[in-house]
Amino acid sequence: MSGFDYVITIGGAAGQGIATPGNILARLFARLGIHMYAYNAYQSIIRGGHSFLTIRCSDHEIRTHGDVIDLMICLNQDTMDRHLEHLGPNTSVIFNSDTIEPGKAADGVRLCPMAVTEIVGKGANKLMQNTVAIAVTCQLLGIEFKALEDVLNFQFSAKGEELMAMNVKVAWAAYEHSAANFKPASQQAPKPGRPLAVWAGNQAFAMAAAGAGVKFYCAYPMSPSTGILHWMAANGRELGIMVRQVEDEISVICMTVGAAHAGCRSMCATSGGGFALMTEGVGAAAMMEIPIVIVNVQRAGPSTGVPTKTEQGDLWQVLGASQGDFPKLILAPSSPLDAFQTIPEVFNLADKYQLPAIILSDLLISDETSTIDPELLDMHPLIDRGELITEVGDEAGNYERYKFTDSGISPRALPGIPGYEHVVATDEHMPDGVLISDEYTHPHKRRAMLEKRQRKMDGLLADLPPPAIVGDADAEVTLVGWGSTAGVIQEAIGQLAQAGVSVNHLHFKWLVPFHADEAVQLLSSCKRTIIVENNYSGLFHRYLRGETGFTVDGHIRKYDGEPFKPHHIVAAVQEQLEGGETLSVPYEEIIV
Amino acid sequence: MTETNALTVLQPKDFKGKVDPDWCPGCGDFGVLSSLQRAVSELGLKPHQILTVSGIGCSSNFPGFFNSYGMHTLHGRSLPHASGAKLSNHEMTVIVTGGDGDGYGIGGNHFTHTSRRNLDILYLVMNNQIYGLTTGQISPTSEVGMKTKSTPHGSIELPFNPIASAITNGATWVARGYTGNVKQLVSLIKAGIEHKGFSLLDVFSPCVTFNKVNTYQFFRPRVQPLEDIGHDASDWKEGIEKAMEWGEVIHTGIFFETNARLTLEEQEPVLDEGGPLAHRQLGLDTEQTERIVARMM
C-alpha cells in the first residue's frame, strides 16, 4: 500500500486507562484529517486481563485494523512479553523503562525506553505514563506538538486546569526526549487535511435512530450492545427521547411494543442472550402488526459465550425467532456508516409494513471506533410512517384494524382517536380484531388473516434492493459475505489484485425477505465462489443454499473470537486456488 | 357511539365489547367486568380515552369484552406492554387486567418492578387461586394443601402474597376487592383509576369450575371490608399486617395508599411539556444535529 498507513497498538491490563490514550489518539488523527479505524481486543473484566487496542491510521479510508503492527505501546510487562517476539523490523516499541523490561526483539525493532519517573517526577499519577507514550508516538510520527497539546487540553478540560497543565508539561518533556533520543518512525504522518469526526459503531446506530424519529428506547445492559443505551441515555433528554433501562429483556421488548402501539417510533437493542429472551415479543409484534426495530449485536456464543469477542453466530436465532410463520424484516449492515444510512429506511419499512425489523450487528461493527467524514452525517432522513391514522376520519365507527387489503397492509389507527376503538391481540383474530382463537375457530378466516399478513412480504421484498456484485464481473474468484465482513473482504480483494488474483465481491445485507432469484442469477455467473463467515458451520451458507439451492465452492471461516484480518482471507483464497482446499480456518496470531 | 360530545354521559352498556364474555357461567370475572363498566361510566370516561391491556388467561380475555382501545398481549407480559404504551401516550387511562398466574407467576418480575416504578396505571387482578384455562393446576396464590391436577397430593408451596408484595415493592395504592361485593368493588376501581401512581387491585374472583376450595361460599363469611374496622391506610406497616391475615377473617378494601411519591411520568423531564410523545413531531432540528456532530469533532 502506498501512502501513509500505520498501525499503533496499545497493550495493558483493564483499569490501566487504555481507553484514554486511545481516545486522545483517535481525536488527534481525526482533527488532522487522518483516517482512523480502531479495534479493541479486551475481556469481560474490570481490572486486569490483557487489553490490546489496535489503532490503524491512514491517508485513505480504511475498514479494518490491518495486518501488521508498526508501533506498540506497552503499559505493562505482560504486553511486552506477549507481543515483542511477533514484531518485525522497523517496529517502534514504547515502554516505561522504570517498570518494564524489554525481552528479546527481532533485528531492527526500535526500542524506545522512557524513564517515566525521571520525566514526570516522583509521586506523579501512574496514568502519566500514558501521556508520555502518546507524546513519543506523536513525535516519532512527525506530528506537531501543538496538535497534541490541543487534544490534551480538550481531553482533560473537564478535570481542571491543574491536570490539564500537568499533562501538557509531561507531554512536552516526553516529546523533547523522544526527539533527542529516538529514530523517527518508519512512516511520517501526512500534512493536516480537512478534519474528520470520530464515532463508535454503536453510536452510529443510536444517532441513526434518533434522526429517524425514535421517541422510545428501552434496554437492559448487555455487552456489546450497551453503547447504544449509553448514547441514548446521554442524549435522550436533549432530543426528546424516552430512554428506559428495565428489569429484563422480556420487559424491554414488551415496553417497546407497547410504546410503538401507542404511536412512538420505538427501538431496543441487546446481544444474543437478551435477544433469546425477547423472542416471544418478536412474534407478538408481528401478530399484532406493530412496527418495532430491534438491534441484536452478536457476540461469541452460545450462552454467555465470550462476551467481549465477535462472531456471526446468531443468524439462525433471528431467522427462527418466535414460534409460528410470520413476516419480519432482517438485515445485517456492513459498517457503522451503512447502519447509519440504512436505519432510517428500516424504520420506514417497519412502519409501512407494520412488522418487527431485526438489525444484526456484531461486536466488530458496534465496538469499533473510527473516523467519519462529517459531511456524511445527515441526520434529517426521509420519514414515512406509512398508512397511519392519527385523527378522526370517514371510518370512525366502522374501523377495522386488520382490514383485508391487496397489499396486506391495514391502515393503523393510533389509540386515543374516538370511533377507532379496537383490540390488538396476539391471538388470531378477524379484521375487526375479534379473536377466533378460543370460541369458533374458523379455518377459512384463519387462512385469510394469515395470508393477509404474509402478503406484506411481497411488497417488502419489492422495496428492497437486489444484491449486486462489486468489482470485475469476469473475476476468477467471487468472495461472498454478509454483514460486518465487507470491509475486510474488500481489503483482501485489493491485496489479491496486487498478487495477480482477480476477485470480486458479492455481499448480502438484506436477509429476510431474500432476493433469491437475483442471488441465484448472480451466483451462477461466478467462476468460483468462496464464502467468508465469522462462524463455525457456515450459518449464512446454509441459509443461502436453502433460499437458492446454490452450493458455493469454498469456505473461509473464523470462530476464535477475533475478527478476520485481510491477510487471513488472502492466504485462504490462495490456498484454495492452489491446493484445492474447500475449507480454510485462518490462524489467529495475536493472543489476547 | 362515535359521538364524542363531552357532555354525553355514557352508560355501563356503552362499554360493552364487540363480543360477549366466553367465561363459564358463574365465573367471578363477570362481576369485575360489570364493575369496571360502571366505574368508568361514573367517572365520565370515554372508550377512546382508555387503553385496556391484558396478558393471557381466562381473565386476560377482558379487553375483548370491554369497549375501549385494547391490547391482548403475551402471557405474563401485560404490565410492560402497558408501561410502554403509557409512556408513549400518558394522557390515556391505562387499565391492566389479568389473573393471578399471569401477573404473579410468569409475570412476577414485571409485577415487582412495575410496583416500584410507579407509573399511573391501575392493575386489576382477578385472583382465583387456580389455573383455569389450562384446566386446573395450582397458581402462585393457591393455598398449601390445595389438590389440583398438578398437585394431586396437595400443594406444599407457600402462596404468594400480592398485597404485601406490592406494598414492599413501592406500589402507591394497594387494595383488595371481592367480586361478590360489587358496591365496594366499583368504588375501589374508581379510587384506583383516580389514584396517581401504580395501583394494585387484587380481586377475589372465584373459578367455579376448577377451584372447589376458594368458592363464593368460602369467601362470603370471611371477607371483611377494612373501611368497616377503621384501618389507617397511610401506615404501610399496618397495611402489611392486615395483608398477612388469612383465616376466618380476610380483609378487603384499601390496605395502603400514599400520594407522597411522584409518578414516573411526572418525574421524567422528557414528558414535561409537548404532550404525549406519540403525538410529537418526528426527527431532530438542525440545531440539535449540529450539536451532536460538533461533539464528534
Side-chain angles (χ1 to χ4, degrees):
Chain A
M1 185 66 65
S2 56
F4 178 68
D5 194 341
Y6 196 78
V7 178
I8 299 165
T9 58
I10 309 176
Q16 281 196 304
I18 286 184
T20 307
N23 290 341
I24 291 171
L25 285 175
R27 201 171 283 266
L28 181 78
F29 290 129
R31 287 184 174 185
L32 293 171
I34 298 170
H35 296 269
M36 182 277 300
Y37 174 99
Y39 166 72
N40 193 15
Y42 63 108
Q43 293 91 24
S44 190
I45 191 169
I46 310 297
R47 292 277 184 273
H50 176 62
S51 290
F52 199 59
L53 174 66
T54 305
I55 303 172
R56 182 181 176 194
C57 40
S58 174
D59 57 8
H60 58 279
E61 201 191 319
I62 36 174
R63 291 293 318 136
T64 82
H65 54 305
D67 291 311
V68 296
I69 295 174
D70 296 303
L71 184 150
M72 180 167 79
I73 296 172
C74 301
L75 298 182
N76 63 4
Q77 185 70 49
D78 182 42
T79 303
M80 182 70 91
D81 297 345
R82 277 170 187 269
H83 304 299
L84 185 65
E85 60 179 319
H86 300 297
L87 303 181
N90 298 324
T91 310
S92 302
V93 179
I94 303 170
F95 61 100
N96 181 351
S97 55
D98 298 344
T99 56
I100 299 168
E101 296 261 345
K104 192 175 167 335
D107 286 344
V109 169
R110 303 167 185 184
L111 295 177
C112 307
M114 295 296 293
V116 170
T117 314
E118 205 175 293
I119 294 164
V120 175
K122 267 206 163 49
N125 187 328
K126 275 191 183 141
L127 295 178
M128 281 298 175
Q129 71 167 346
N130 299 354
T131 303
V132 166
I134 294 167
V136 175
T137 303
C138 288
Q139 194 281 324
L140 293 179
L141 285 171
I143 293 169
E144 276 187 26
F145 186 75
K146 180 75 175 64
L148 174 60
E149 185 181 354
D150 288 349
V151 176
L152 284 173
N153 285 336
F154 175 87
Q155 181 74 27
F156 294 105
S157 58
K159 301 198 169 173
E161 290 283 332
E162 199 184 335
L163 194 70
M164 228 161 77
M166 182 67 184
N167 270 284
V168 172
K169 196 179 132 204
V170 165
W172 176 241
Y175 193 91
E176 285 209 300
H177 180 89
S178 177
N181 293 283
F182 307 138
K183 210 170 148 185
S186 53
Q187 296 180 44
Q188 293 295 288
K191 290 209 174 344
R194 188 166 61 85
L196 299 168
V198 180
W199 66 0
N202 274 331
Q203 183 183 349
F205 286 76
M207 282 171 58
V214 148
K215 289 271 185 281
F216 187 87
Y217 180 80
C218 196
Y220 183 89
M222 185 169 187
S223 301
S225 69
T226 317
I228 302 178
L229 171 63
H230 289 171
W231 193 92
M232 285 291 187
N235 293 278
R237 285 191 183 173
E238 184 181 325
L239 304 178
I241 302 170
M242 172 73 69
V243 182
R244 302 243 64 88
Q245 178 188 329
V246 297
E247 61 269 24
D248 55 31
E249 286 90 348
I250 299 176
S251 189
V252 166
I253 192 157
C254 294
M255 282 210 197
T256 306
V257 171
H261 176 61
C264 285
R265 274 199 164 170
S266 306
M267 182 169 96
C268 57
T270 183
S271 185
F275 186 80
L277 291 187
M278 291 183 177
T279 301
E280 200 182 14
V282 175
M287 190 58 152
M288 295 189 285
E289 303 199 43
I290 296 169
I292 58 165
V293 175
I294 310 158
V295 181
N296 177 2
V297 184
Q298 302 166 95
R299 69 190 208 190
S303 193
T304 309
V306 198
T308 59
K309 296 298 164 190
T310 200
E311 199 165 273
Q312 293 180 304
D314 291 358
L315 176 61
W316 285 80
Q317 183 185 207
V318 300
L319 287 173
S322 213
Q323 68 273 25
D325 189 2
F326 59 86
K328 57 185 161 190
L329 171 65
I330 303 176
L331 66 147
S334 61
S335 68
L337 179 62
D338 187 29
F340 178 80
Q341 292 175 334
T342 309
I343 284 172
E345 176 64 8
V346 173
F347 274 97
N348 289 344
L349 292 170
D351 259 340
K352 180 175 178 186
Y353 294 101
Q354 304 173 16
L355 42 66
I358 303 168
I359 304 174
L360 263 183
S361 178
D362 56 25
L363 180 136
L364 185 62
I365 290 182
S366 279
D367 250 10
E368 80 165 61
T369 301
S370 54
T371 45
I372 180 74
D373 183 344
E375 299 290 324
L376 295 173
L377 298 177
D378 175 10
M379 289 184 74
H380 305 280
L382 172 78
I383 293 174
D384 179 1
R385 300 217 67 189
E387 296 183 51
L388 196 67
I389 299 168
T390 56
E391 53 192 38
V392 180
D394 295 341
E395 285 183 297
N398 303 305
Y399 172 68
E400 287 189 331
R401 169 63 187 93
Y402 301 109
K403 187 175 166 179
F404 291 129
T405 59
D406 291 343
S407 63
I409 299 167
S410 318
R412 185 167 79 100
L414 297 186
I417 309 166
Y420 288 78
E421 294 83 358
H422 65 273
V423 176
V424 294
T426 60
D427 286 74
E428 189 57 285
H429 39 258
M430 292 190 288
D432 61 1
V434 170
L435 311 194
I436 60 161
S437 53
D438 297 343
E439 216 177 354
Y440 313 119
T441 58
H442 194 304
H444 298 167
K445 289 176 179 171
R446 156 67 175 175
R447 176 179 164 175
M449 188 52 71
L450 194 146
E451 287 176 348
K452 180 204 94 77
R453 280 193 297 272
Q454 292 289 6
R455 274 201 295 281
K456 298 191 289 185
M457 287 301 259
D458 301 338
L460 178 55
L461 181 63
D463 279 353
L464 302 181
I469 286 177
V470 175
D472 177 9
D474 294 326
E476 201 177 333
V477 175
T478 298
L479 285 176
V480 180
W482 65 287
S484 64
T485 52
V488 74
I489 290 175
Q490 275 297 314
E491 187 160 346
I493 288 173
Q495 291 185 12
L496 283 160
Q498 288 187 335
V501 186
S502 146
V503 182
N504 62 23
H505 187 187
L506 175 56
H507 210 77
F508 290 93
K509 170 161 81 175
W510 302 98
L511 306 180
V512 175
F514 191 73
H515 275 295
D517 295 344
E518 291 82 349
V520 172
Q521 224 167 13
L522 289 173
L523 287 161
S524 305
S525 74
C526 299
K527 289 183 181 152
R528 185 188 193 115
T529 49
I530 299 175
I531 194 160
V532 181
E533 295 196 62
N534 236 177
N535 58 54
Y536 175 83
S537 63
L539 297 173
F540 182 71
H541 179 238
R542 283 157 55 193
Y543 178 62
L544 184 68
R545 198 168 52 192
E547 289 293 314
T548 62
F550 188 91
T551 302
V552 299
D553 300 310
H555 305 268
I556 305 172
R557 296 176 189 162
K558 199 164 186 289
Y559 40 85
D560 53 34
E562 293 299 323
F564 284 106
K565 294 194 182 87
H567 75 274
H568 291 145
I569 295 174
V570 170
V573 168
Q574 285 170 331
E575 173 184 89
Q576 297 199 7
L577 282 177
E578 289 155 18
E581 295 281 340
T582 56
L583 172 64
S584 307
V585 181
Y587 175 80
E588 177 59 51
E589 302 87 351
I590 302 288
I591 309 300
V592 288
Chain B
M1 64 128 280
T2 61
E3 286 303 310
T4 57
N5 186 339
L7 298 173
T8 317
V9 177
L10 298 180
Q11 299 302 310
K13 65 174 170 51
D14 295 317
F15 290 93
K16 216 169 117 17
K18 291 188 176 115
V19 289
D20 291 330
D22 55 9
W23 296 318
C24 304
C27 175
D29 296 352
F30 284 103
V32 181
L33 176 61
S34 61
S35 297
L36 179 65
Q37 287 164 335
R38 255 183 69 185
V40 292
S41 77
E42 287 179 24
L43 288 173
L45 288 165
K46 305 276 187 295
H48 72 271
Q49 297 169 324
I50 303 170
L51 179 69
T52 323
V53 184
S54 73
I56 296 296
C58 292
S59 53
S60 286
N61 288 345
F62 206 99
F65 313 139
F66 185 80
N67 180 28
S68 73
Y69 279 95
M71 287 189 95
H72 189 162
T73 73
L74 297 166
H75 192 35
R77 314 303 167 207
S78 55
L79 286 172
H81 280 96
S83 301
K86 181 72 182 181
L87 290 168
S88 185
N89 185 347
H90 62 288
E91 283 179 356
M92 293 204 78
T93 297
V94 176
I95 300 167
V96 182
T97 57
D100 42 306
D102 184 77
Y104 307 144
I106 188 168
N109 198 24
H110 310 309
F111 175 59
T112 301
H113 293 279
T114 311
S115 293
R116 72 181 176 84
R117 211 164 269 143
N118 202 34
L119 281 143
D120 186 15
I121 288 174
L122 169 65
Y123 187 26
L124 194 49
V125 181
M126 283 149 269
N127 183 354
N128 59 12
Q129 300 166 267
I130 192 88
Y131 279 75
L133 202 53
T134 50
T135 70
Q137 300 81 22
I138 51 158
S139 94
T141 51
S142 295
E143 291 183 53
V144 174
M146 177 102 158
K147 288 188 177 173
T148 69
K149 283 179 189 154
S150 62
T151 53
H153 310 293
S155 171
I156 54 172
E157 295 182 14
L158 200 66
F160 180 78
N161 189 322
I163 303 291
S165 299
I167 296 172
T168 55
N169 288 324
T172 50
W173 188 93
V174 182
R176 182 190 279 150
Y178 168 51
T179 187
N181 184 347
V182 168
K183 191 171 165 234
Q184 183 199 33
L185 187 54
V186 171
S187 100
L188 287 173
I189 291 173
K190 283 164 70 175
I193 290 174
E194 289 194 306
H195 173 75
K196 277 178 97 73
F198 182 69
S199 310
L200 170 72
L201 178 52
D202 182 82
V203 183
F204 292 135
S205 180
C207 172
V208 292
T209 308
F210 293 108
N211 189 337
K212 304 299 185 193
V213 179
N214 309 101
T215 58
Y216 294 99
Q217 291 73 17
F218 171 87
F219 285 112
R220 201 172 297 128
R222 290 179 170 83
V223 286
Q224 182 192 59
L226 286 167
E227 51 270 31
D228 294 351
I229 59 166
H231 168 67
D232 178 9
S234 68
D235 182 348
W236 63 269
K237 288 178 203 141
E238 205 177 306
I240 288 177
E241 211 168 277
K242 291 284 189 296
M244 298 302 284
E245 289 175 21
W246 184 274
E248 291 310 306
V249 170
I250 300 173
H251 301 290
T252 59
I254 301 172
F255 287 71
F256 175 69
E257 98 181 280
T258 176
N259 293 312
R261 276 182 57 209
L262 294 174
T263 64
L264 190 77
E265 305 91 291
E266 288 167 331
Q267 292 180 74
E268 176 55 65
V270 170
L271 298 181
D272 273 355
E273 47 194 49
L277 281 174
H279 297 167
R280 296 188 196 171
Q281 183 143 13
L282 274 69
L284 306 174
D285 61 44
T286 312
E287 207 178 295
Q288 287 171 320
T289 58
E290 280 176 356
R291 245 192 335 255
I292 290 168
V293 176
R295 288 189 204 118
M296 297 165 69
M297 301 301 292

